[in-house]
């Protein structure tokens, strides 16, 4: 719900794809807590499994492991994009990464090179999946890093840190 509150106007109509057993009413209550209470909600009964069983179209995207990212970046062939919160970036990031705070992607994705794949990471992979969805909708070949920054750290790979942290409210980073 937090990211819904960041990303959607308060008068949005939302279609939910929920895992089996999840209640649309529960999700609606969470969305109401972030100002999306006046929305018209539609839920896909049976989730994506039901959608695919009907032969309806859907999109998939590629992934890159942290080991592949380590071998590849920095590179001119692809873009590495960190979509975490500004304070997370200030604590460390993967060498070669650009930064774009997740809620700003719809307004800023024009800053990315549409000719190069964008490899997206966050703290664990959840926000990266949201970002990939937004970027792909905008015509950009985007992929996630399963486990993202957490997996990078667990693998013992090095990080870089900015020379100085900025204010958390300043969402632009180098």
């Amino acid at each position: 719900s937090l990211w819904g509150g960041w990303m959607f106007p308060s008068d949005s109509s939302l279609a939910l794809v929920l895992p089996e057993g999840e209640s649309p009413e529960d999700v609606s209550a969470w969305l109401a807590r972030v100002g999306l209470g006046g929305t018209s909600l539609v839920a896909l009964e049976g989730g994506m499994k039901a959608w695919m069983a009907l032969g309806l179209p859907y999109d998939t995207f590629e992934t890159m492991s942290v080991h592949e990212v380590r071998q590849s970046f920095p590179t001119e062939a692809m873009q590495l994009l960190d979509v975490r919160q500004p304070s997370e970036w200030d604590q460390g990031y993967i060498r070669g990464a650009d930064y774009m705070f997740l809620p700003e992607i719809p307004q800023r994705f024009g800053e990315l090179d549409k000719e190069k794949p964008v490899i997206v990471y966050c703290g664990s992979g959840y926000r990266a999946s949201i970002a990939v969805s937004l970027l792909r909708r905008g015509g950009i070949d985007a992929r996630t890093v399963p486990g993202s920054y957490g997996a990078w750290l667990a693998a013992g790979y090095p990080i870089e840190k900015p020379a100085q942290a900025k204010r958390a409210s300043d969402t632009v980073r180098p």
Side-chain angles (χ1 to χ4, degrees):
S1 64
L2 172 67
W3 295 107
W6 272 97
M7 314 274 312
F8 300 116
S10 60
D11 60 350
S12 294
S13 292
L14 302 174
L16 301 176
V17 178
L18 304 174
E20 270 188 66
E22 189 73 38
S23 160
E25 293 78 21
D26 290 345
V27 175
S28 180
W30 280 102
L31 291 170
R33 292 177 183 152
V34 295
L36 295 172
T39 63
S40 142
L41 275 174
V42 176
L44 176 60
E45 190 172 324
M48 284 305 295
K49 189 174 182 180
W51 182 272
M52 291 184 287
L54 291 171
L56 297 169
Y58 63 94
D59 189 23
T60 61
F61 51 84
E62 293 181 41
T63 64
M64 275 183 86
S65 73
V66 292
H67 312 293
E68 292 169 313
V69 170
R70 170 93 162 114
Q71 292 171 351
S72 300
F73 284 95
T75 180
E76 292 297 316
M78 295 177 272
Q79 303 164 90
L80 182 61
L81 184 64
D82 184 322
V83 297
R84 298 174 299 152
Q85 294 182 45
S87 60
E88 291 174 289
W89 169 272
D90 289 344
Q91 293 172 17
Y93 56 89
I94 299 171
R95 185 174 55 117
D98 292 318
Y99 178 75
M100 194 175 293
F101 185 36
L102 174 62
E104 296 178 349
I105 287 176
Q107 293 78 35
R108 295 183 55 203
F109 76 82
E111 297 172 25
L112 299 167
D113 185 345
K114 281 188 159 188
E115 303 301 315
K116 296 178 184 177
V118 178
I119 314 308
V120 185
Y121 75 92
C122 63
S124 65
Y126 177 74
R127 292 172 284 176
S129 295
I130 296 170
V132 164
S133 185
L134 293 167
L135 293 170
R136 290 182 64 79
R137 186 172 68 191
I140 294 176
D141 175 10
R143 306 157 190 190
T144 62
V145 180
S148 283
Y149 192 72
W152 182 269
L153 293 175
Y157 292 144
I159 60 169
E160 304 219 344
K161 291 188 177 186
Q164 183 175 354
K166 293 184 177 184
R167 293 182 327 208
S169 59
D170 179 3
T171 61
V172 177
R173 297 294 191 261

